[in-house]
Amino acid sequence: MTTRFEAELLLFTTAEGGRHTPIFAGYRPTVAFQTVTTTATVAFPEGTEMMMPGQSGPVVVTLVQDVAVQAGDRFAVAEGERVVGAGTVA
């Protein structure tokens, strides 16, 4: 059980149904694992200020509640009902 983990995040392009604007540190999406959906905060490694749609890269995800995760688990990133990205726990 954890509330914080590193992950590889891919933001979908608008053609894939994703965002049309970049995300910045402090971005607060909903993340959905197979068994639980919760709110999260996304942080970037030092030197990274934002992530554009279509880009992928490492992030640190902080959840508002404890969730059982392990390396390799996949999750969806959503804004409301729209899935705007996907991630894999590092």
Side-chain angles (χ1 to χ4, degrees):
M1 300 292 283
T2 188
T3 58
R4 189 171 189 267
F5 59 88
E6 295 181 2
E8 184 73 17
L9 178 65
L10 167 66
L11 284 182
F12 298 152
T13 63
T14 52
E16 298 168 316
R19 298 172 55 91
H20 64 279
T21 58
I23 64 169
F24 296 89
Y27 175 59
R28 292 188 51 93
T30 301
V31 294
F33 292 90
Q34 286 185 353
T35 58
V36 66
T37 300
T38 187
T39 302
T41 301
V42 175
F44 299 118
E46 191 171 325
T48 303
E49 295 180 19
M50 66 180 179
M51 184 180 285
M52 297 293 292
Q55 253 185 332
S56 65
V59 295
V60 176
V61 178
T62 304
L63 305 172
V64 296
Q65 69 184 41
D66 282 338
V67 175
V69 298
Q70 60 185 8
D73 284 354
R74 296 177 185 270
F75 59 93
V77 177
E79 295 175 358
E81 297 293 318
R82 186 174 67 169
V83 176
V84 296
T88 304
V89 177

XYZ file of all heavy atoms in Angstrom:
660
model
N 0.850 -1.171 0.000
C 0.000 0.000 0.000
C 0.896 1.233 0.000
O 1.860 1.304 0.752
C -0.888 0.020 1.235
C -1.814 -1.178 1.370
S -3.089 -1.242 0.121
C -4.214 -0.022 0.713
N 0.565 2.167 -0.857
C 1.352 3.389 -0.938
C 0.493 4.542 -1.437
O -0.567 4.322 -2.029
C 2.574 3.204 -1.862
O 3.409 4.347 -1.759
C 2.158 3.015 -3.304
N 0.978 5.746 -1.198
C 0.323 6.920 -1.755
C 1.235 7.629 -2.746
O 0.829 8.609 -3.354
C -0.068 7.933 -0.656
O 1.112 8.307 0.057
C -1.100 7.358 0.280
N 2.468 7.114 -2.912
C 3.428 7.793 -3.798
C 4.248 6.766 -4.563
O 4.731 5.803 -3.975
C 4.350 8.659 -2.948
C 5.243 9.576 -3.734
C 5.940 10.544 -2.763
N 6.649 11.564 -3.483
C 7.926 11.486 -3.825
N 8.638 10.418 -3.507
N 8.495 12.462 -4.494
N 4.378 6.978 -5.879
C 5.177 6.070 -6.691
C 5.675 6.779 -7.943
O 5.121 7.798 -8.354
C 4.377 4.816 -7.076
C 3.114 5.094 -7.847
C 3.116 5.188 -9.232
C 1.908 5.268 -7.178
C 1.955 5.440 -9.932
C 0.737 5.519 -7.871
C 0.767 5.604 -9.250
N 6.721 6.229 -8.535
C 7.230 6.724 -9.809
C 6.559 5.948 -10.931
O 6.222 4.770 -10.762
C 8.742 6.550 -9.876
C 9.470 7.398 -8.863
C 10.987 7.234 -8.939
O 11.475 6.494 -9.807
O 11.655 7.851 -8.103
N 6.365 6.612 -12.056
C 5.687 5.979 -13.184
C 6.171 6.571 -14.495
O 6.774 7.652 -14.524
C 4.181 6.164 -13.063
N 5.883 5.873 -15.566
C 6.087 6.370 -16.924
C 4.704 6.749 -17.431
O 3.791 5.922 -17.445
C 6.703 5.281 -17.802
C 7.050 5.711 -19.185
C 8.277 6.622 -19.262
O 9.065 6.687 -18.301
O 8.432 7.257 -20.311
N 4.530 8.012 -17.822
C 3.226 8.527 -18.224
C 3.230 8.899 -19.696
O 4.184 9.507 -20.181
C 2.875 9.760 -17.382
C 1.563 10.464 -17.689
C 0.384 9.546 -17.371
C 1.453 11.749 -16.900
N 2.165 8.539 -20.408
C 1.951 8.935 -21.799
C 0.686 9.761 -21.854
O -0.371 9.318 -21.414
C 1.795 7.710 -22.705
C 1.266 7.979 -24.115
C 2.263 8.814 -24.923
C 0.935 6.695 -24.832
N 0.804 10.983 -22.373
C -0.378 11.824 -22.591
C -0.878 11.619 -24.013
O -0.098 11.697 -24.966
C -0.037 13.297 -22.399
C 0.133 13.793 -20.993
C 0.415 15.295 -21.006
C -1.092 13.510 -20.160
N -2.158 11.366 -24.162
C -2.744 11.159 -25.482
C -2.866 12.483 -26.231
O -3.068 13.536 -25.628
C -4.124 10.520 -25.379
C -4.133 9.159 -24.739
C -5.247 8.709 -24.066
C -3.036 8.319 -24.796
C -5.281 7.460 -23.480
C -3.043 7.059 -24.214
C -4.178 6.639 -23.551
N -2.771 12.419 -27.548
C -2.981 13.593 -28.390
C -4.482 13.828 -28.544
O -5.297 12.961 -28.201
C -2.363 13.384 -29.786
O -3.045 12.286 -30.416
C -0.874 13.093 -29.702
N -4.842 14.958 -29.108
C -6.265 15.233 -29.326
C -6.869 14.217 -30.286
O -8.029 13.843 -30.143
C -6.491 16.663 -29.862
O -5.670 16.868 -31.001
C -6.170 17.686 -28.806
N -6.089 13.736 -31.257
C -6.576 12.725 -32.194
C -6.888 11.410 -31.482
O -7.728 10.636 -31.937
C -5.542 12.484 -33.300
N -6.216 11.178 -30.352
C -6.447 9.964 -29.560
C -7.482 10.194 -28.467
O -7.725 9.323 -27.637
C -5.134 9.499 -28.916
C -4.070 9.128 -29.930
C -2.700 8.955 -29.309
O -2.302 9.803 -28.473
O -2.025 7.974 -29.669
N -8.068 11.392 -28.430
C -9.080 11.725 -27.437
C -8.526 12.416 -26.206
O -9.229 12.595 -25.217
N -7.268 12.830 -26.260
C -6.622 13.447 -25.110
C -6.727 14.955 -25.081
O -7.568 15.561 -25.745
N -5.818 15.552 -24.329
C -5.786 17.000 -24.127
C -5.242 17.718 -25.363
O -4.559 17.118 -26.182
C -4.861 17.344 -22.955
C -5.283 16.788 -21.632
C -4.195 17.034 -20.597
N -3.831 18.427 -20.496
C -4.396 19.295 -19.669
N -5.359 18.911 -18.885
N -4.006 20.550 -19.640
N -5.494 19.021 -25.436
C -4.880 19.849 -26.473
C -3.892 20.838 -25.868
O -3.246 21.590 -26.582
C -5.943 20.560 -27.317
C -6.768 21.534 -26.552
N -7.842 21.147 -25.765
C -6.666 22.876 -26.411
C -8.361 22.216 -25.200
N -7.674 23.279 -25.569
N -3.767 20.825 -24.526
C -2.835 21.712 -23.829
C -1.889 20.874 -22.966
O -2.222 19.744 -22.588
C -3.590 22.710 -22.940
O -4.386 21.979 -22.001
C -4.465 23.631 -23.768
N -0.726 21.418 -22.633
C 0.224 20.664 -21.808
C -0.233 20.566 -20.354
O -1.141 21.289 -19.925
C 1.512 21.492 -21.909
C 1.048 22.868 -22.196
C -0.193 22.725 -23.026
N 0.408 19.652 -19.615
C 0.195 19.599 -18.170
C 1.447 20.141 -17.486
O 2.546 20.094 -18.040
C -0.128 18.178 -17.662
C 1.048 17.220 -17.890
C -1.404 17.664 -18.287
C 0.890 15.884 -17.188
N 1.268 20.666 -16.291
C 2.355 21.240 -15.509
C 2.415 20.539 -14.163
O 1.469 19.847 -13.771
C 2.135 22.749 -15.323
C 2.171 23.519 -16.610
C 1.003 23.714 -17.351
C 3.364 24.020 -17.088
C 1.037 24.415 -18.549
C 3.402 24.728 -18.288
C 2.238 24.914 -19.014
N 3.509 20.742 -13.430
C 3.639 20.179 -12.089
C 2.443 20.604 -11.257
O 1.971 21.733 -11.353
C 4.939 20.652 -11.450
N 1.931 19.689 -10.466
C 0.749 19.970 -9.666
C -0.551 19.563 -10.342
O -1.629 19.697 -9.763
N -0.476 19.050 -11.567
C -1.649 18.560 -12.302
C -2.384 17.544 -11.428
O -1.778 16.675 -10.828
C -1.166 17.933 -13.612
C -2.205 17.268 -14.457
C -3.299 17.953 -14.944
C -2.068 15.925 -14.819
C -4.231 17.343 -15.754
C -2.987 15.301 -15.631
C -4.074 16.012 -16.099
O -4.997 15.393 -16.897
N -3.726 17.669 -11.328
C -4.518 16.810 -10.443
C -5.591 16.039 -11.222
O -6.767 16.397 -11.194
C -5.159 17.634 -9.334
C -4.120 18.178 -8.365
C -4.721 18.840 -7.156
N -5.711 18.029 -6.480
C -5.467 17.212 -5.457
N -4.244 17.080 -5.002
N -6.441 16.544 -4.874
N -5.197 14.949 -11.874
C -6.182 14.134 -12.588
C -6.769 13.051 -11.686
O -6.365 12.888 -10.537
C -5.327 13.478 -13.678
C -4.030 13.220 -12.960
C -3.840 14.456 -12.102
N -7.679 12.302 -12.240
C -8.158 11.073 -11.625
C -7.341 9.943 -12.221
O -7.099 9.928 -13.427
C -9.652 10.859 -11.947
O -10.385 11.975 -11.447
C -10.175 9.586 -11.343
N -6.875 9.018 -11.391
C -6.163 7.848 -11.907
C -6.981 6.609 -11.575
O -7.560 6.501 -10.492
C -4.721 7.723 -11.356
C -3.866 8.859 -11.851
C -4.683 7.653 -9.861
N -7.055 5.703 -12.528
C -7.867 4.501 -12.362
C -7.017 3.263 -12.579
O -6.432 3.076 -13.658
C -9.023 4.520 -13.350
N -6.924 2.457 -11.531
C -6.307 1.142 -11.624
C -7.430 0.147 -11.864
O -8.591 0.530 -11.945
C -5.555 0.816 -10.326
C -4.347 1.690 -10.101
C -4.461 2.880 -9.409
C -3.108 1.321 -10.588
C -3.361 3.686 -9.197
C -1.998 2.116 -10.392
C -2.131 3.301 -9.686
N -7.127 -1.141 -11.945
C -8.169 -2.138 -12.184
C -9.228 -2.143 -11.096
O -10.404 -2.360 -11.366
C -7.554 -3.531 -12.298
C -6.826 -3.757 -13.583
C -6.329 -5.195 -13.693
O -6.420 -5.978 -12.756
N -5.792 -5.534 -14.841
N -8.827 -1.891 -9.851
C -9.761 -2.055 -8.747
C -10.140 -0.770 -8.030
O -11.046 -0.790 -7.194
C -9.181 -3.016 -7.693
O -7.935 -2.486 -7.243
C -8.975 -4.399 -8.278
N -9.463 0.337 -8.315
C -9.736 1.569 -7.577
C -9.497 2.789 -8.458
O -8.644 2.783 -9.332
C -8.868 1.656 -6.295
C -7.412 1.792 -6.621
C -9.320 2.771 -5.391
N -10.283 3.824 -8.212
C -10.127 5.109 -8.882
C -9.975 6.168 -7.798
O -10.748 6.186 -6.841
C -11.348 5.422 -9.760
O -11.475 4.394 -10.737
C -11.208 6.760 -10.441
N -8.972 7.045 -7.943
C -8.707 8.058 -6.940
C -8.082 9.288 -7.583
O -7.664 9.245 -8.734
C -7.808 7.505 -5.814
O -7.715 8.466 -4.770
C -6.432 7.154 -6.326
N -8.024 10.367 -6.843
C -7.393 11.596 -7.316
C -5.899 11.532 -7.039
O -5.468 10.950 -6.052
C -8.014 12.814 -6.607
O -9.414 12.817 -6.854
C -7.410 14.115 -7.113
N -5.124 12.157 -7.913
C -3.668 12.150 -7.772
C -3.108 13.530 -8.091
O -3.779 14.357 -8.696
C -3.057 11.122 -8.697
N -1.866 13.732 -7.687
C -1.101 14.908 -8.073
C 0.137 14.409 -8.806
O 0.784 13.470 -8.354
C -0.682 15.734 -6.844
O -1.857 16.126 -6.133
C 0.089 16.981 -7.262
N 0.457 15.046 -9.932
C 1.598 14.633 -10.747
C 2.733 15.639 -10.593
O 2.513 16.848 -10.667
C 1.189 14.527 -12.236
C 2.371 14.210 -13.113
C 0.097 13.481 -12.410
N 3.946 15.122 -10.376
C 5.149 15.950 -10.304
C 6.155 15.430 -11.321
O 6.148 14.243 -11.662
C 5.744 15.904 -8.905
N 7.007 16.321 -11.806
C 8.017 15.957 -12.796
C 9.402 15.912 -12.163
O 9.638 16.561 -11.144
C 8.043 16.980 -13.936
C 6.747 17.083 -14.682
C 6.044 18.277 -14.697
C 6.221 16.013 -15.351
C 4.841 18.388 -15.383
C 5.018 16.104 -16.037
C 4.338 17.303 -16.056
N 10.334 15.201 -12.803
C 11.715 15.229 -12.316
C 12.280 16.648 -12.447
O 11.794 17.449 -13.251
C 12.465 14.285 -13.254
C 11.439 13.545 -14.012
C 10.175 14.334 -13.958
N 13.281 16.950 -11.673
C 13.905 18.267 -11.720
C 14.357 18.572 -13.142
O 14.914 17.731 -13.834
C 15.106 18.304 -10.776
C 15.653 19.694 -10.570
C 16.689 19.743 -9.470
O 16.543 19.007 -8.489
O 17.634 20.531 -9.621
N 14.074 19.781 -13.592
C 14.446 20.195 -14.940
C 13.317 20.065 -15.952
O 13.424 20.564 -17.065
N 12.243 19.387 -15.589
C 11.084 19.251 -16.476
C 9.975 20.144 -15.948
O 9.586 20.041 -14.791
C 10.597 17.793 -16.534
O 11.665 16.960 -16.959
C 9.427 17.646 -17.486
N 9.470 21.022 -16.804
C 8.434 21.959 -16.386
C 7.035 21.551 -16.815
O 6.058 21.894 -16.155
C 8.736 23.350 -16.935
C 9.997 23.955 -16.363
C 10.261 25.339 -16.928
O 9.313 25.961 -17.455
O 11.407 25.787 -16.837
N 6.941 20.855 -17.966
C 5.630 20.490 -18.483
C 5.747 19.276 -19.383
O 6.849 18.866 -19.763
C 5.013 21.648 -19.259
C 5.737 21.993 -20.512
S 4.913 23.362 -21.347
C 5.982 23.551 -22.754
N 4.591 18.710 -19.734
C 4.520 17.589 -20.666
C 3.434 17.901 -21.681
O 2.312 18.255 -21.311
C 4.214 16.290 -19.918
C 4.220 15.068 -20.810
S 3.841 13.541 -19.898
C 5.377 13.298 -19.035
N 3.787 17.785 -22.950
C 2.855 18.075 -24.034
C 2.063 16.820 -24.421
O 2.548 15.704 -24.255
C 3.621 18.561 -25.268
C 4.372 19.856 -25.073
S 3.290 21.267 -24.838
C 2.535 21.384 -26.446
N 0.850 16.991 -24.961
C 0.111 15.847 -25.488
C 0.955 15.120 -26.540
O 1.629 15.753 -27.349
C -1.127 16.478 -26.122
C -1.318 17.751 -25.351
C 0.073 18.234 -25.058
N 0.951 13.798 -26.473
C 1.758 12.987 -27.378
C 3.117 12.629 -26.798
O 3.809 11.778 -27.326
N 3.485 13.274 -25.699
C 4.764 13.017 -25.046
C 4.619 11.955 -23.977
O 3.547 11.760 -23.417
C 5.271 14.283 -24.347
C 6.419 14.948 -25.001
C 6.914 16.124 -24.162
O 6.172 16.759 -23.409
N 8.172 16.421 -24.314
N 5.728 11.299 -23.678
C 5.766 10.390 -22.539
C 7.026 10.686 -21.743
O 7.987 11.249 -22.277
C 5.748 8.929 -22.988
O 6.919 8.628 -23.712
N 6.999 10.321 -20.476
C 8.160 10.555 -19.640
C 7.914 10.145 -18.211
O 6.801 9.778 -17.825
N 8.962 10.216 -17.406
C 8.836 9.831 -15.993
C 8.126 10.900 -15.181
O 8.280 12.092 -15.441
C 10.293 9.682 -15.553
C 11.049 10.622 -16.438
C 10.331 10.610 -17.756
N 7.329 10.450 -14.222
C 6.629 11.341 -13.301
C 6.607 10.699 -11.914
O 6.860 9.509 -11.770
C 5.171 11.619 -13.747
C 5.115 12.381 -15.054
C 4.367 10.335 -13.845
N 6.292 11.505 -10.920
C 6.018 11.000 -9.577
C 4.548 11.273 -9.297
O 4.081 12.403 -9.439
C 6.912 11.684 -8.523
C 6.534 11.217 -7.126
C 8.378 11.419 -8.803
N 3.822 10.222 -8.941
C 2.386 10.317 -8.698
C 2.136 10.214 -7.196
O 2.626 9.283 -6.549
C 1.629 9.195 -9.437
C 0.136 9.265 -9.150
C 1.895 9.262 -10.936
N 1.387 11.158 -6.657
C 0.991 11.127 -5.247
C -0.528 10.996 -5.192
O -1.245 11.837 -5.738
C 1.440 12.408 -4.517
O 2.851 12.554 -4.682
C 1.107 12.337 -3.036
N -1.004 9.940 -4.549
C -2.432 9.653 -4.466
C -3.023 10.226 -3.184
O -2.321 10.394 -2.193
C -2.659 8.136 -4.493
C -2.041 7.393 -5.672
C -2.173 5.889 -5.455
C -2.695 7.803 -6.972
N -4.338 10.476 -3.186
C -4.996 10.991 -1.987
C -5.355 9.880 -1.010
O -5.753 10.157 0.116
C -6.253 11.834 -2.326
C -5.877 13.067 -3.106
C -7.291 10.999 -3.035
N -5.238 8.619 -1.433
C -5.508 7.487 -0.548
C -4.529 6.367 -0.846
O -3.967 6.298 -1.936
C -6.947 6.986 -0.701
C -7.232 6.324 -2.044
C -8.681 5.916 -2.201
O -9.569 6.654 -1.808
N -8.914 4.750 -2.764
N -4.314 5.487 0.129
C -3.431 4.340 -0.069
C -4.014 3.389 -1.101
O -5.212 3.078 -1.069
C -3.253 3.556 1.239
C -2.287 4.218 2.193
O -1.455 5.017 1.729
O -2.353 3.920 3.396
N -3.145 2.921 -2.008
C -3.537 1.964 -3.033
C -2.441 0.909 -3.131
O -1.263 1.236 -3.037
C -3.727 2.662 -4.404
C -4.009 1.654 -5.493
C -4.836 3.693 -4.333
N -2.832 -0.326 -3.317
C -1.860 -1.403 -3.493
C -1.385 -1.387 -4.943
O -2.170 -1.627 -5.861
C -2.489 -2.749 -3.154
N -0.112 -1.044 -5.150
C 0.456 -1.027 -6.501
C 1.801 -1.740 -6.479
O 2.459 -1.814 -5.447
C 0.647 0.410 -7.052
C -0.674 1.126 -7.170
C 1.609 1.203 -6.216
N 2.183 -2.247 -7.634
C 3.501 -2.838 -7.785
C 4.032 -2.498 -9.166
O 3.272 -2.113 -10.058
C 3.464 -4.338 -7.552
C 2.572 -5.111 -8.494
C 2.497 -6.579 -8.115
O 2.980 -6.991 -7.075
N 1.889 -7.372 -8.971
N 5.328 -2.626 -9.331
C 5.968 -2.298 -10.607
C 5.277 -3.049 -11.740
O 4.970 -4.233 -11.623
C 7.447 -2.645 -10.555
N 5.013 -2.324 -12.811
C 4.363 -2.915 -13.975
C 2.861 -2.707 -14.024
O 2.249 -2.910 -15.078
N 2.244 -2.320 -12.908
C 0.802 -2.051 -12.919
C 0.507 -0.885 -13.860
O 1.236 0.098 -13.896
C 0.294 -1.699 -11.520
C 0.160 -2.893 -10.609
O 0.347 -4.035 -11.080
O -0.130 -2.691 -9.418
N -0.576 -1.010 -14.599
C -0.984 0.043 -15.528
C -2.156 0.813 -14.947
O -2.957 0.263 -14.201
C -1.369 -0.563 -16.872
C -0.209 -1.233 -17.561
C -0.658 -1.875 -18.867
N 0.406 -2.616 -19.483
C 1.264 -2.109 -20.357
N 1.142 -0.856 -20.716
N 2.216 -2.850 -20.875
N -2.245 2.094 -15.324
C -3.350 2.926 -14.859
C -3.740 3.903 -15.947
O -2.955 4.231 -16.825
C -2.999 3.656 -13.557
C -1.796 4.557 -13.647
C -1.931 5.896 -13.947
C -0.520 4.055 -13.416
C -0.820 6.732 -14.020
C 0.593 4.882 -13.479
C 0.450 6.211 -13.776
N -4.987 4.350 -15.887
C -5.498 5.352 -16.817
C -5.521 6.701 -16.115
O -5.730 6.780 -14.911
C -6.904 4.977 -17.274
N -5.315 7.757 -16.880
C -5.361 9.125 -16.373
C -6.578 9.788 -17.014
O -6.705 9.798 -18.241
C -4.073 9.890 -16.731
C -4.153 11.326 -16.267
C -2.857 9.190 -16.140
N -7.452 10.322 -16.187
C -8.708 10.866 -16.709
C -8.991 12.254 -16.176
O -8.537 12.637 -15.101
C -9.863 9.939 -16.353
N -9.746 12.989 -16.969
C -10.316 14.284 -16.586
C -11.811 14.133 -16.772
O -12.287 14.084 -17.903
C -9.767 15.399 -17.476
C -8.293 15.626 -17.301
C -7.745 16.664 -18.279
O -8.511 17.173 -19.124
O -6.547 16.946 -18.193
N -12.525 14.005 -15.672
C -13.950 13.711 -15.771
C -14.128 12.335 -16.379
O -13.523 11.371 -15.940
N -14.928 12.241 -17.425
C -15.177 10.963 -18.091
C -14.183 10.676 -19.217
O -14.194 9.591 -19.785
C -16.601 10.949 -18.665
C -17.675 11.045 -17.606
C -17.719 9.818 -16.713
O -17.598 8.689 -17.235
O -17.849 9.995 -15.489
N -13.329 11.630 -19.542
C -12.418 11.499 -20.684
C -11.047 10.988 -20.238
O -10.397 11.593 -19.403
C -12.266 12.846 -21.374
C -11.453 12.779 -22.654
C -11.472 14.084 -23.358
N -10.733 15.068 -22.540
C -10.383 16.260 -22.950
N -10.732 16.655 -24.148
N -9.722 17.084 -22.182
N -10.591 9.882 -20.834
C -9.262 9.349 -20.554
C -8.262 10.125 -21.411
O -8.394 10.168 -22.630
C -9.194 7.841 -20.857
C -7.777 7.323 -20.649
C -10.162 7.080 -19.963
N -7.292 10.762 -20.758
C -6.355 11.630 -21.462
C -4.917 11.096 -21.450
O -4.028 11.698 -22.027
C -6.370 13.064 -20.880
C -7.725 13.706 -21.080
C -5.952 13.084 -19.431
N -4.706 9.953 -20.796
C -3.368 9.392 -20.751
C -3.355 8.014 -20.119
O -4.370 7.520 -19.639
N -2.173 7.418 -20.137
C -1.986 6.096 -19.546
C -0.613 6.050 -18.905
O 0.309 6.725 -19.349
C -2.118 5.008 -20.612
N -0.499 5.240 -17.864
C 0.780 5.143 -17.176
C 1.087 3.733 -16.747
O 0.209 2.869 -16.709
N 2.358 3.517 -16.423
C 2.839 2.251 -15.898
C 3.681 2.536 -14.671
O 4.598 3.373 -14.732
C 3.684 1.503 -16.946
O 2.915 1.327 -18.137
C 4.113 0.145 -16.430
N 3.388 1.864 -13.568
C 4.156 2.040 -12.338
C 5.577 1.528 -12.581
O 5.772 0.444 -13.092
C 3.507 1.286 -11.165
C 4.346 1.415 -9.901
C 2.086 1.792 -10.929
N 6.572 2.366 -12.198
C 7.988 2.009 -12.423
C 8.496 1.115 -11.301
O 7.986 1.068 -10.225
C 8.841 3.256 -12.511
